Amino acid sequence: MTRLDKLWRAVDGPGAPPQVDGRRVRARVNAALDAGCPERKIYMKKKLSLVLAVAAALAIMGTAFAAVVDWDALTAHFKGDVSPALAYLDSQVRTVSDENYTLTVESAAADKNTVYFVLSVSARSDTAKAFLASDDFDSMDTFDAWVTTPVGATKMLSSMGYHALDAETEDCRRYALDASFFKQLSASDTVAVRCGYMDEDSWIELPVTPAPSVTVKIGASGTGVEGLHCRPAGSPGQLTIRDITLSPFTCQIRMNRPNMDIEPRLLLRMKDGSIRTQAQFLTGEGGDAREYSYQCKEVLDLDSIYSVIIFDMEYPLDGSAPTPVEHDPSLDPFTVTRMEPLLEGAGYSLPAKELTEKLGGTFRQNAAGDEVTCAYRDAEIVLKAGSRTALVNGQPVELKDAPAMQDGVLAAPYGVFVDAWEIDAYVQREQGERISSHETRLIWHDWYVIP
């Protein structure tokens, strides 16, 4: 699950956000406030969500963070096995200080699009200690980053996000930070990062060593999947993919799409023959009509990938000729009924039985119908009405809201399914009648699920 998914759940936004798109952060915040038509095509910094994102990270992910102290720039940003990218991890510790703070970059890793950091800020004065301990420390201006080239040109920041990590002392805050740039990075570039509360000439520079990537030429058109703002009655739109670039950390798709609400949908065939869907290995970051950027959920081992599959054609990473593949309808998007919120002000819930069966999973329930077992993708989820504790493969998981019976159907929060089954799910919406010059009534539809 992405950081904005967790933020959305923490603040009880209506429904759920789709794949995170940095350019649409403002749109989704507006949606949560039932605001009017938002700006959606301006590439903005993800800083807009930072204040709440840190609070959400502490509330939702605090247990996981507290369990580990020795984070690095890979383990702090990617789940699972990071060993395929250890060769690209810069573990040299770098620091800079002024009279109030010390900024430390503990480690970093990069590809041609994004730099990942683990860094910390320590207070050196009583005034700094008090501010560091306050909620106001985390803001839009806490951090900044930029890249300089050998000739002195600057590559500008396009988006930035961070979340809190555990810190060993009260006078220190520690973060995982990612910074993406408009222009591609090269091995001759230098990246700089600074804390916005320090002197203007106090920043840390470090060399950029981009991890290698593979570009697959596509040059084909086909059907995409519907985005958050597509009307449910609309048919999936067309887009043309020019090429796809995979690195261990990100995926870049260059395309032409007349409709910004239609998004790419790709699969990976691994060398062992297994198929991984986009929902399983990517989380959306940002894009426009010509390019869309994703961050990998896990570090990708490029040597383990045989091909990219899109528009029912298979494109091997070695550049050999593409071949058609049989369409798998079990991986097509579908809708399920939007259930009512489980608590006043909470997001919409999902029908456990309908979701499981439409995914092709197995569903069982007890005689009373208030306890169900849902299985899909080697993950079994046990839910009970009125209990905020679910079992996922036998392990207890705390839910945001307790499942409840609604008209004889067990309704549950979406997060447990998204996490355990690695699917994308969100509620589509459209603009309704204009209420005032600055407010439009939103119409929320059914859940749109992408396996």
Side-chain angles (χ1 to χ4, degrees):
M1 184 189 304
T2 65
R3 290 191 297 277
L4 188 55
D5 287 323
K6 294 169 183 172
L7 165 63
W8 192 271
R9 190 190 304 179
V11 299
D12 291 327
Q19 298 169 318
V20 175
D21 183 336
R23 301 171 190 243
R24 297 182 182 178
V25 170
R26 189 190 302 276
R28 294 176 194 172
V29 173
N30 283 344
L33 299 174
D34 285 345
C37 183
E39 297 178 8
R40 294 178 47 245
K41 297 184 181 180
I42 298 176
Y43 205 122
M44 63 184 66
K45 294 183 180 181
K46 290 180 283 186
K47 290 180 177 181
L48 293 172
S49 65
L50 292 181
V51 175
L52 290 177
V54 173
L58 291 173
I60 298 171
M61 298 179 288
T63 301
F65 285 150
V68 179
V69 174
D70 192 23
W71 294 101
D72 61 44
L74 297 179
T75 57
H77 288 92
F78 304 95
K79 65 180 183 179
D81 180 17
V82 300
S83 60
L86 286 177
Y88 315 115
L89 180 66
D90 181 348
S91 297
Q92 181 177 336
V93 177
R94 299 171 172 88
T95 65
V96 65
S97 298
D98 64 8
E99 65 274 15
N100 290 311
Y101 299 99
T102 295
L103 173 66
T104 301
V105 173
E106 301 176 16
S107 63
D111 62 11
K112 293 180 179 180
N113 301 281
T114 304
V115 184
Y116 302 92
F117 303 91
V118 164
L119 48 78
S120 61
V121 181
S122 301
R124 305 185 68 204
S125 67
D126 291 340
T127 300
K129 289 177 183 179
F131 184 54
L132 188 71
S134 71
D135 293 337
D136 292 336
F137 186 84
D138 292 304
S139 74
M140 294 176 61
D141 300 313
T142 305
F143 297 108
D144 196 8
W146 62 94
V147 168
T148 56
T149 69
V151 297
T154 301
K155 295 180 179 179
M156 301 303 297
L157 184 73
S158 65
S159 65
M160 174 184 287
Y162 67 78
H163 59 261
L165 301 175
D166 54 293
E168 296 181 353
T169 69
E170 294 181 355
D171 298 335
C172 177
R173 286 200 180 194
R174 201 172 180 211
Y175 301 93
L177 182 146
D178 60 271
S180 300
F181 298 87
F182 283 111
K183 295 185 178 180
Q184 286 197 340
L185 310 180
S186 70
S188 59
D189 290 339
T190 299
V191 62
V193 61
R194 70 179 295 268
C195 174
Y197 307 121
M198 297 178 67
D199 293 341
E200 291 187 359
D201 59 352
S202 297
W203 66 76
I204 294 174
E205 292 184 338
L206 59 158
V208 176
T209 306
S213 59
V214 176
T215 297
V216 182
K217 300 295 183 183
I218 305 296
S221 300
T223 301
V225 296
E226 298 174 5
L228 173 66
H229 302 292
C230 274
R231 291 191 176 198
S235 59
Q238 298 289 304
L239 67 162
T240 298
I241 305 294
R242 299 195 300 277
D243 57 62
I244 298 171
T245 299
L246 295 172
S247 84
F249 311 134
T250 61
C251 172
Q252 310 293 318
I253 301 180
R254 280 160 287 277
M255 69 188 125
N256 295 312
R257 52 173 178 167
N259 186 347
M260 285 284 291
D261 287 322
I262 301 301
E263 299 180 359
R265 164 74 164 159
L266 61 91
L267 311 172
L268 294 183
R269 187 187 301 278
M270 313 307 287
K271 288 184 177 176
D272 63 8
S274 62
I275 298 292
R276 299 195 70 192
T277 69
Q278 188 166 313
Q280 288 180 285
F281 74 95
L282 293 179
T283 175
E285 286 295 313
D288 56 22
R290 295 177 298 175
E291 184 169 349
Y292 205 95
S293 300
Y294 298 87
Q295 179 172 312
C296 300
K297 295 180 178 179
E298 301 179 4
V299 167
L300 280 186
D301 182 359
L302 300 184
D303 292 335
S304 69
I305 303 171
Y306 173 71
S307 65
V308 170
I309 299 173
I310 194 163
F311 306 144
D312 292 333
M313 291 290 293
E314 185 165 8
Y315 298 84
L317 261 63
D318 64 9
S320 55
T323 57
V325 296
E326 184 177 355
H327 182 76
D328 185 353
S330 71
L331 299 180
D332 288 343
F334 58 89
T335 60
V336 296
T337 306
R338 172 175 58 85
M339 307 297 285
E340 293 304 309
L342 298 167
L343 290 174
E344 183 178 355
Y348 296 116
S349 57
L350 278 161
K353 184 175 189 290
E354 182 183 355
L355 173 66
T356 304
E357 292 183 343
K358 284 189 173 181
L359 283 167
T362 59
F363 178 87
R364 305 190 308 274
Q365 63 185 29
N366 63 1
D370 63 349
E371 181 174 299
V372 303
T373 301
C374 313
Y376 176 67
R377 280 183 179 164
D378 299 323
E380 183 180 84
I381 304 171
V382 179
L383 303 167
K384 184 175 179 59
S387 174
R388 288 187 56 226
T389 302
L391 293 178
V392 178
N393 287 337
Q395 299 300 311
V397 173
E398 291 302 305
L399 307 177
K400 176 65 177 175
D401 307 312
M405 301 300 296
Q406 296 182 7
D407 297 327
V409 174
L410 185 71
Y414 82 103
V416 64
F417 302 108
V418 170
D419 288 346
W421 291 346
E422 297 181 307
I423 61 175
D424 287 332
Y426 55 91
V427 176
Q428 293 178 306
R429 61 113 165 147
E430 62 178 293
Q431 303 286 346
E433 63 181 304
R434 176 71 80 179
I435 297 175
S436 66
S437 60
H438 64 279
E439 188 177 2
T440 301
R441 182 174 65 90
L442 299 177
I443 301 172
W444 295 91
H445 297 279
D446 284 333
W447 286 90
Y448 187 66
V449 179
I450 308 175

